[in-house]
Structures are given as C-alpha cells and as structure tokens.
Amino acid sequence: MGKPDTSIKTTQQARDRLRVLAEEGGTTIADLVEELALSRLTASEREERAREAAADLGLAYTPELKARGQAAWDLVARHAEQQGKNSGTDAA
C-alpha cells in the first residue's frame, strides 16, 4: 500500500510554482516536497555532522571551533553570492 497522504497549507503562488516545477521535473508536488524535505539537514543533524567532522580531524568540538566553522561557511556563501552577481556581467 502507498504512503499515507497529508495536507500542507501554502500560498496559492507557492502551490502554483510547485505545480510547474513538478510538471517540468516529471514528478508530483508530493514527491517534490518530499525530495526537498529529505535533501536538507535539520539544525541538529548539521550539528552532529560538524561534531563528527571535528572528531575525524582530531579536533575538539568547542564553541570557538563551531564559530570559526560558521565564519568559514559564511565566507563561502558570500563568495558564491558574489560569483553569481559577477556571472551576469561579462565584459565585451
């Protein structure tokens, strides 16, 4: 038997966009939402992964290490954002 259904309330605009994305991807809105939910980590999952990575590197997972790691990810995000802004400004 299939998975039980449930309902999620969203705006009409979001629903319409989900419908288009699902159609373009040859899937359903339900499968698209499930894919999104399963592809993202929760805060506690991210924290556990960070602890595991620190242990793999032989580092103690301290508040300082956590802050430095977050600062590194913030820097990566800023670089990615800047790269995205620059990609549309090719010099002719």
mmCIF file of all heavy atoms in Angstrom, residues 18-33 35:
data_model
loop_
_atom_site.group_PDB
_atom_site.id
_atom_site.type_symbol
_atom_site.label_atom_id
_atom_site.label_comp_id
_atom_site.label_asym_id
_atom_site.label_seq_id
_atom_site.Cartn_x
_atom_site.Cartn_y
_atom_site.Cartn_z
ATOM 1 N N LEU A 18 5.082 25.245 -7.326
ATOM 2 C CA LEU A 18 5.365 23.824 -7.098
ATOM 3 C C LEU A 18 4.779 22.968 -8.219
ATOM 4 O O LEU A 18 5.410 22.007 -8.663
ATOM 5 C CB LEU A 18 4.822 23.369 -5.743
ATOM 6 C CG LEU A 18 5.602 23.848 -4.527
ATOM 7 C CD1 LEU A 18 4.797 23.602 -3.256
ATOM 8 C CD2 LEU A 18 6.954 23.155 -4.462
ATOM 9 N N ARG A 19 3.587 23.318 -8.677
ATOM 10 C CA ARG A 19 2.957 22.562 -9.760
ATOM 11 C C ARG A 19 3.807 22.630 -11.028
ATOM 12 O O ARG A 19 4.059 21.612 -11.675
ATOM 13 C CB ARG A 19 1.546 23.086 -10.040
ATOM 14 C CG ARG A 19 0.859 22.306 -11.167
ATOM 15 C CD ARG A 19 -0.549 22.788 -11.466
ATOM 16 N NE ARG A 19 -1.412 22.585 -10.304
ATOM 17 C CZ ARG A 19 -2.153 23.540 -9.749
ATOM 18 N NH1 ARG A 19 -2.160 24.764 -10.246
ATOM 19 N NH2 ARG A 19 -2.911 23.273 -8.712
ATOM 20 N N VAL A 20 4.287 23.833 -11.367
ATOM 21 C CA VAL A 20 5.127 23.997 -12.560
ATOM 22 C C VAL A 20 6.432 23.216 -12.398
ATOM 23 O O VAL A 20 6.856 22.494 -13.309
ATOM 24 C CB VAL A 20 5.408 25.493 -12.835
ATOM 25 C CG1 VAL A 20 6.466 25.662 -13.914
ATOM 26 C CG2 VAL A 20 4.125 26.215 -13.223
ATOM 27 N N LEU A 21 7.075 23.349 -11.247
ATOM 28 C CA LEU A 21 8.336 22.635 -11.015
ATOM 29 C C LEU A 21 8.131 21.124 -11.096
ATOM 30 O O LEU A 21 8.965 20.408 -11.667
ATOM 31 C CB LEU A 21 8.915 23.013 -9.651
ATOM 32 C CG LEU A 21 9.448 24.445 -9.543
ATOM 33 C CD1 LEU A 21 9.732 24.794 -8.086
ATOM 34 C CD2 LEU A 21 10.680 24.619 -10.403
ATOM 35 N N ALA A 22 7.041 20.642 -10.546
ATOM 36 C CA ALA A 22 6.765 19.210 -10.586
ATOM 37 C C ALA A 22 6.521 18.754 -12.024
ATOM 38 O O ALA A 22 7.072 17.732 -12.459
ATOM 39 C CB ALA A 22 5.557 18.879 -9.707
ATOM 40 N N GLU A 23 5.722 19.510 -12.762
ATOM 41 C CA GLU A 23 5.448 19.148 -14.160
ATOM 42 C C GLU A 23 6.733 19.137 -14.979
ATOM 43 O O GLU A 23 6.964 18.212 -15.761
ATOM 44 C CB GLU A 23 4.430 20.121 -14.768
ATOM 45 C CG GLU A 23 3.021 19.920 -14.247
ATOM 46 C CD GLU A 23 2.042 20.993 -14.724
ATOM 47 O OE1 GLU A 23 2.453 21.920 -15.459
ATOM 48 O OE2 GLU A 23 0.867 20.901 -14.344
ATOM 49 N N GLU A 24 7.559 20.160 -14.798
ATOM 50 C CA GLU A 24 8.814 20.231 -15.548
ATOM 51 C C GLU A 24 9.755 19.094 -15.182
ATOM 52 O O GLU A 24 10.537 18.635 -16.015
ATOM 53 C CB GLU A 24 9.510 21.577 -15.292
ATOM 54 C CG GLU A 24 8.810 22.734 -15.953
ATOM 55 C CD GLU A 24 9.474 24.071 -15.662
ATOM 56 O OE1 GLU A 24 10.399 24.127 -14.824
ATOM 57 O OE2 GLU A 24 9.048 25.065 -16.272
ATOM 58 N N GLY A 25 9.676 18.634 -13.935
ATOM 59 C CA GLY A 25 10.536 17.550 -13.486
ATOM 60 C C GLY A 25 9.938 16.170 -13.678
ATOM 61 O O GLY A 25 10.543 15.170 -13.284
ATOM 62 N N GLY A 26 8.740 16.114 -14.253
ATOM 63 C CA GLY A 26 8.087 14.828 -14.477
ATOM 64 C C GLY A 26 7.749 14.110 -13.180
ATOM 65 O O GLY A 26 7.833 12.884 -13.095
ATOM 66 N N THR A 27 7.355 14.866 -12.169
ATOM 67 C CA THR A 27 7.047 14.285 -10.870
ATOM 68 C C THR A 27 5.774 14.905 -10.327
ATOM 69 O O THR A 27 5.064 15.606 -11.049
ATOM 70 C CB THR A 27 8.251 14.453 -9.908
ATOM 71 O OG1 THR A 27 8.025 13.717 -8.727
ATOM 72 C CG2 THR A 27 8.522 15.907 -9.579
ATOM 73 N N THR A 28 5.503 14.671 -9.072
ATOM 74 C CA THR A 28 4.325 15.241 -8.430
ATOM 75 C C THR A 28 4.757 16.274 -7.390
ATOM 76 O O THR A 28 5.917 16.285 -6.954
ATOM 77 C CB THR A 28 3.502 14.159 -7.715
ATOM 78 O OG1 THR A 28 4.304 13.616 -6.645
ATOM 79 C CG2 THR A 28 3.089 13.046 -8.671
ATOM 80 N N ILE A 29 3.823 17.121 -6.998
ATOM 81 C CA ILE A 29 4.114 18.082 -5.938
ATOM 82 C C ILE A 29 4.511 17.337 -4.666
ATOM 83 O O ILE A 29 5.467 17.713 -3.994
ATOM 84 C CB ILE A 29 2.915 19.017 -5.683
ATOM 85 C CG1 ILE A 29 2.713 19.941 -6.874
ATOM 86 C CG2 ILE A 29 3.112 19.818 -4.397
ATOM 87 C CD1 ILE A 29 1.469 20.838 -6.778
ATOM 88 N N ALA A 30 3.800 16.267 -4.342
ATOM 89 C CA ALA A 30 4.112 15.498 -3.131
ATOM 90 C C ALA A 30 5.544 14.976 -3.173
ATOM 91 O O ALA A 30 6.282 15.080 -2.183
ATOM 92 C CB ALA A 30 3.125 14.351 -2.959
ATOM 93 N N ASP A 31 5.953 14.420 -4.311
ATOM 94 C CA ASP A 31 7.318 13.898 -4.430
ATOM 95 C C ASP A 31 8.349 15.026 -4.391
ATOM 96 O O ASP A 31 9.429 14.875 -3.821
ATOM 97 C CB ASP A 31 7.479 13.072 -5.704
ATOM 98 C CG ASP A 31 6.796 11.721 -5.614
ATOM 99 O OD1 ASP A 31 6.466 11.285 -4.486
ATOM 100 O OD2 ASP A 31 6.590 11.102 -6.677
ATOM 101 N N LEU A 32 8.005 16.167 -4.982
ATOM 102 C CA LEU A 32 8.902 17.317 -4.965
ATOM 103 C C LEU A 32 9.112 17.824 -3.539
ATOM 104 O O LEU A 32 10.241 18.083 -3.112
ATOM 105 C CB LEU A 32 8.327 18.426 -5.841
ATOM 106 C CG LEU A 32 9.190 19.642 -6.118
ATOM 107 C CD1 LEU A 32 10.429 19.254 -6.909
ATOM 108 C CD2 LEU A 32 8.384 20.677 -6.892
ATOM 109 N N VAL A 33 8.033 17.931 -2.766
ATOM 110 C CA VAL A 33 8.125 18.376 -1.377
ATOM 111 C C VAL A 33 8.908 17.365 -0.548
ATOM 112 O O VAL A 33 9.760 17.733 0.266
ATOM 113 C CB VAL A 33 6.720 18.626 -0.784
ATOM 114 C CG1 VAL A 33 6.792 18.848 0.714
ATOM 115 C CG2 VAL A 33 6.065 19.818 -1.473
ATOM 116 N N GLU A 35 11.206 15.286 -1.628
ATOM 117 C CA GLU A 35 12.613 15.393 -2.038
ATOM 118 C C GLU A 35 13.289 16.567 -1.334
ATOM 119 O O GLU A 35 14.408 16.448 -0.835
ATOM 120 C CB GLU A 35 12.693 15.572 -3.556
ATOM 121 C CG GLU A 35 14.089 15.753 -4.096
ATOM 122 C CD GLU A 35 14.088 16.038 -5.593
ATOM 123 O OE1 GLU A 35 13.233 15.525 -6.316
ATOM 124 O OE2 GLU A 35 14.971 16.808 -6.027
#
